[in-house]
Amino acid sequence: MAKTLFDKIWDKHVVQQIEDGPSVLYIDKHFIHEVTSPQAFAGIEKRGLTVFRPQQVVATADHNVPTLNQHLPIKDELSRIQVQQLIENCKKHHIELYGLGHPFQGIVHVIGPELGITQPGMTIVCGDSHTSTHGAFGSIAFGIGTSEVEMVFASQCLLQTKPRLMRITIDGELQPGVVSKDIILYIIAQITASGATGYFVEYAGSAIRALSMEARMTICNMSIEMGARGGMIAPDQTTFDYIKGRQFAPGAAQWDKKLAEWKELYSDADAVFDKEIHINAADIQPMITYGTNPGLGIAINGKIPVTDKIADEGERNNITKALAYMGLESGKALLGMPVQHVFIGSCTNSRIEDLRQVASLVKGRKKNPNVQVMIVPGSQQVARQVQAEGLDKVFREAGFEIRQAGCSACLGMNEDKIPAGEYCISTSNRNFEGRQGAGARTLLASPLTAAAAAITGVVTDVRELPAVS
Amino acid sequence: MKPLTSIHSRFVPLPIENVDTDQIIPARFLKATTREGFGKNLFRDWRYVDNDENQPKADFVLNQQQYTGEILVAGKNFGCGSSREHAAWALQDHGFKAVVSSFFADIFRNNALNNGVLPVKVSDAFLAQLFALGNEATLTIDVDAQTITIDATGAQEVFDINKYKKTCLLNGYDDIDYLISNKAQIEAFEAQLQS
């Protein structure tokens, strides 16, 4: 029988099917971080259990860590205790920790792939909704709650109900200035922030095949923002080339065997999906959000919807409420609007390719004096690569501030917050009320669009930025 | 987990769609290392002016004494966004035993069930009926029969819950008990994976 990519991986990991209930699903890799793990460790200890398969767990500290002076003790007491507890828990349970100061430390969804831990065909979980990122390698990867983290600690398994499957096919060529972040913001704007709830999404089509691994990760990362539990892309030569030679990638002795397995990971030609969506890549413009969920996005040169013309009452109320929070007006354009902050970072867009894109645009330019620009590399490895390629010099000359690796202002758990009432163009994934700090107003966009705003100080169409004189 | 068989209570209406878990519990309150005490920060930034407990926002429903009860009734796509289970802990710590909505985000739904907080998915029309009720109205939720009833009118809907999860709720079992009771099978599965 014809199978989807998802089915092939799922079926191989079902330990037991409970009658009229969920499946017992075996988990290959479990990533943990300091914020959603302490209660899970406490839970198994209370039951008198130890971590069942510690060698399949990888830990890092990312959500809560400062992005300045990481060599010093963390100033915030609660953050320090949480990070310290991760260190102690990992030690006690024999879990590999890439904590602060370790050369592999970084945002969990950046380090997994860059270390070659994330591989095609795996089941991967983490107590973080953006675990969907790892699906870019053709794995089933999804975010879980802390009780589920505890389940995986206890048994290396989860009880899961098989989701419905959606395929989003994007064919054709992207316009200049349009990057993968624009693709995913476009999709979410089309199908809404709940349009894929209950589904696992496979992204396919020629436009997806043409993307680098970094670009594919950006798309899979934001699958959760339309409600999907995860997103995935069938592995291909781009995937295999990315993985080969990385720290924890299969070595020469196993490579051919693994590669042969990975090459079987695609949806069969006549596989059936519960829902199919087709998108023409040429229709996608650089995107920006105006509201307080990632589905409220428009083309950079478009206008905010006219609220009076929205027929559905719930939708009209949502957008009216969002615009009140954002201090924006119905029917108006965003182009030319001043912004006070630019944040380039997060598990969505903090990889080396994202930072290369930013550098290529800002080289030889200076930031607008009214804008604060923060660049937070996704990992220590990315930070080292930035230096090795001389991108740090480009950023410093432009007046950008370069920080150390962590989740930072994506969720404002550490000191990196946007002040109330101020606007931030952010390459992160969520524009929820208060996400970047109480009262902060977030406009989600691509690294290119964020960099363009850093230069001009206003919302800018990157395609119209004048060349460096 | 405590068994949950039925709930009979007034309810707190929150007719807002896409309530994300950052609103239910803002990230700055996720630094705790235990599960307790999140209730006081439930909907923190919707509840207080400038994060000040002495300045409750009068127009927010949790600050309106006429609304009370063990059931939260919210607009569609409740619990979207971050996977933080702290959202379920905060609702539970505040005293909610069930959340009623016409649509739940997946991760939140699992987190709620894993903590004995029942997500009750109803139709848009039934949800609209609930929002139209006065603050004195009471609801009855019967887990075994899978029904939610407006006591005054007798209007009723059946909600979905899989048989396994229902057994867990009714008896107070959790998934970990089940998983560790199957360890031999898991180990056999691992051996077969490696062969």
Side-chain angles (χ1 to χ4, degrees):
Chain A
M1 202 185 113
K3 279 187 168 189
T4 62
L5 167 62
F6 182 92
D7 287 331
K8 286 179 183 175
I9 304 170
W10 177 275
D11 292 352
K12 218 175 165 181
H13 288 82
V14 173
V15 177
Q16 184 196 107
Q17 179 60 51
I18 301 172
E19 200 190 331
D20 197 13
S23 307
V24 176
L25 188 72
Y26 190 77
I27 302 303
D28 294 317
K29 285 287 173 207
H30 184 196
F31 292 103
I32 62 169
H33 61 84
E34 75 278 22
V35 175
T36 58
S37 66
Q39 293 88 350
F41 280 114
I44 57 163
E45 285 174 15
K46 201 169 150 198
R47 290 167 197 264
L49 300 170
T50 54
V51 173
F52 182 52
R53 293 289 180 246
Q55 66 276 37
Q56 285 167 247
V57 188
V58 175
T60 191
D62 56 1
H63 278 63
N64 212 346
V65 300
T67 55
L68 284 173
N69 295 319
Q70 288 184 345
H71 62 291
L72 297 177
I74 300 175
K75 280 190 210 146
D76 180 88
E77 192 191 356
L78 291 175
S79 301
R80 188 173 66 243
I81 291 171
Q82 210 171 44
V83 170
Q84 186 58 34
Q85 204 158 95
L86 180 71
I87 295 170
E88 286 163 19
N89 282 327
C90 287
K91 201 170 164 191
K92 198 192 297 180
H93 292 277
H94 313 288
I95 290 168
E96 189 79 56
L97 168 65
Y98 304 134
L100 282 184
H102 193 285
F104 295 164
Q105 181 268 338
I107 303 175
V108 64
H109 310 309
V110 174
I111 68 166
E114 79 180 0
L115 291 170
I117 298 170
T118 301
Q119 293 169 20
M122 286 181 164
T123 48
I124 299 173
V125 295
C126 174
D128 187 283
S129 60
H130 293 111
T131 307
S132 57
T133 312
H134 306 262
F137 291 79
S139 62
I140 292 181
F142 54 93
I144 56 177
T146 297
S147 292
E148 293 171 313
V149 171
E150 192 180 335
M151 288 173 210
V152 183
F153 280 163
S155 67
Q156 204 56 37
C157 287
L158 273 178
L159 287 164
Q160 286 292 306
T161 306
K162 194 173 173 181
R164 286 175 292 171
L165 301 179
M166 180 191 292
R167 179 162 60 188
I168 301 179
T169 306
I170 305 147
D171 281 317
E173 277 191 40
L174 293 172
Q175 296 184 39
V178 176
V179 293
S180 70
K181 181 65 163 286
D182 301 308
I183 299 178
I184 189 64
L185 286 174
Y186 178 86
I187 294 171
I188 304 168
Q190 294 283 311
I191 74 169
T192 81
S194 60
T197 302
Y199 290 94
F200 224 90
V201 176
E202 181 180 341
Y203 302 95
S206 62
I208 296 291
R209 296 257 74 88
L211 296 174
S212 68
M213 286 317 294
E214 284 88 346
R216 293 179 190 185
M217 283 189 252
T218 300
I219 290 181
C220 290
N221 171 277
M222 287 190 73
S223 301
I224 182 71
E225 309 310 338
M226 51 186 171
R229 196 70 190 279
M232 64 202 310
I233 294 170
D236 58 11
Q237 199 56 45
T238 304
T239 322
F240 311 142
D241 290 346
Y242 178 97
I243 297 171
K244 198 167 189 179
R246 289 184 185 262
Q247 191 84 20
F248 298 103
Q254 299 126 23
W255 181 260
D256 289 344
K257 181 172 171 276
K258 280 284 174 194
L259 193 63
E261 284 172 29
W262 295 347
K263 284 185 171 172
E264 296 302 313
L265 297 171
Y266 53 85
S267 288
D268 295 331
D270 43 356
V272 178
F273 289 80
D274 298 293
K275 191 168 180 181
E276 296 249 24
I277 291 175
H278 294 271
I279 287 170
N280 180 0
D283 291 344
I284 305 172
Q285 308 276 322
M287 296 289 292
I288 190 162
T289 65
Y290 62 88
T292 54
N293 76 57
L296 302 180
I298 51 175
I300 189 87
N301 51 11
K303 288 186 173 142
I304 296 169
V306 177
T307 45
D308 291 347
K309 289 187 182 164
I310 300 169
D312 181 77
E313 190 191 344
E315 183 68 1
R316 189 167 61 242
N317 292 343
N318 282 342
I319 294 182
T320 304
K321 183 172 178 287
L323 292 179
Y325 178 84
M326 292 295 292
L328 295 173
E329 277 180 60
S330 151
K332 292 276 168 71
L334 287 172
L335 272 185
M337 189 186 83
V339 296
Q340 292 77 45
H341 302 268
V342 170
F343 172 65
I344 296 167
S346 88
C347 58
T348 313
N349 282 125
S350 64
R351 297 182 180 81
I352 189 65
E353 184 183 276
D354 300 315
L355 304 190
R356 282 183 195 137
Q357 276 177 11
V358 171
S360 70
L361 195 85
V362 305
K363 192 168 187 179
R365 303 183 206 251
K366 294 251 183 280
K367 77 168 181 71
N368 180 285
N370 300 321
V371 188
Q372 306 279 328
V373 185
M374 202 197 311
I375 294 203
V376 185
S379 70
Q380 308 279 358
Q381 291 216 70
V382 171
R384 284 195 297 276
Q385 211 166 340
V386 161
Q387 286 195 346
E389 296 182 18
L391 308 184
D392 55 327
K393 192 163 166 272
V394 174
F395 296 144
R396 270 197 302 274
E397 281 175 1
F400 293 9
E401 188 182 2
I402 313 169
R403 296 291 191 96
Q404 291 170 296
C407 297
S408 182
C410 172
L411 82 166
M413 263 196 91
N414 66 359
E415 303 76 31
D416 307 344
K417 291 182 174 69
I418 307 303
E422 298 191 4
Y423 291 98
C424 177
I425 294 208
S426 178
T427 67
S428 57
N429 40 59
R430 289 188 174 135
N431 50 2
F432 297 151
E433 287 183 29
R435 173 80 178 180
Q436 296 195 287
R441 293 162 165 170
T442 304
L443 307 164
L444 301 175
S446 76
L448 280 180
T449 299
I455 304 300
T456 61
V458 297
V459 175
T460 299
D461 187 336
V462 66
R463 298 168 298 188
E464 291 174 7
L465 196 69
V468 182
S469 53
Chain B
M1 220 162 67
K2 282 187 199 149
L4 181 69
T5 53
S6 69
I7 304 165
H8 172 71
S9 166
R10 284 163 65 183
F11 67 92
V12 176
L14 187 67
I16 297 174
E17 296 181 0
N18 301 313
V19 174
D20 60 77
T21 54
D22 272 81
Q23 306 317 312
I24 300 173
I25 182 93
R28 63 184 184 279
F29 300 111
L30 308 186
K31 296 181 184 184
T33 51
T34 63
R35 290 174 182 242
E36 291 78 33
F38 288 99
K40 68 178 192 299
N41 299 320
L42 176 67
F43 292 115
R44 184 79 191 194
D45 291 336
W46 285 356
R47 212 162 145 189
Y48 303 111
V49 177
D50 295 336
N51 197 26
D52 180 356
E53 282 171 44
N54 296 316
Q55 293 190 66
K57 291 183 181 172
D59 61 350
F60 187 61
V61 71
L62 289 189
N63 297 323
Q64 297 171 339
Q65 285 177 354
Q66 68 269 36
Y67 294 108
T68 180
E70 297 175 336
I71 303 169
L72 179 68
V73 178
K76 75 177 177 197
N77 199 24
F78 185 83
C80 59
S82 158
S83 62
R84 59 190 70 169
E85 192 163 315
H86 313 67
W89 300 336
L91 288 162
Q92 186 180 47
D93 193 45
H94 184 82
F96 289 120
K97 291 183 177 167
V99 183
V100 180
S101 177
S102 56
F103 204 84
F104 288 96
D106 283 335
I107 304 179
F108 172 80
R109 196 190 55 226
N110 287 352
N111 287 342
L113 280 168
N114 285 333
N115 286 279
V117 175
L118 180 66
V120 178
K121 188 182 166 194
V122 298
S123 67
D124 287 326
F126 194 81
L127 190 69
Q129 274 188 57
L130 295 178
F131 284 138
L133 293 169
N135 62 301
E136 299 289 334
T138 57
L139 308 177
T140 299
I141 296 170
D142 184 327
V143 179
D144 193 31
Q146 297 176 220
T147 55
I148 174 167
T149 311
I150 300 170
D151 296 325
T153 63
Q156 189 177 78
E157 261 197 16
V158 173
F159 60 87
D160 264 351
I161 179 168
N162 72 49
K163 199 166 111 189
Y164 165 84
K165 268 292 173 197
K166 185 159 103 178
T167 308
C168 287
L169 276 178
L170 289 171
N171 296 288
Y173 301 155
D174 69 26
D175 288 353
I176 297 180
D177 297 330
Y178 183 83
L179 288 167
I180 55 180
S181 72
N182 281 280
K183 243 180 199 166
Q185 195 182 4
I186 294 168
E187 281 169 337
F189 179 86
E190 286 178 321
Q192 163 248 307
L193 263 190
Q194 275 148 24
S195 65

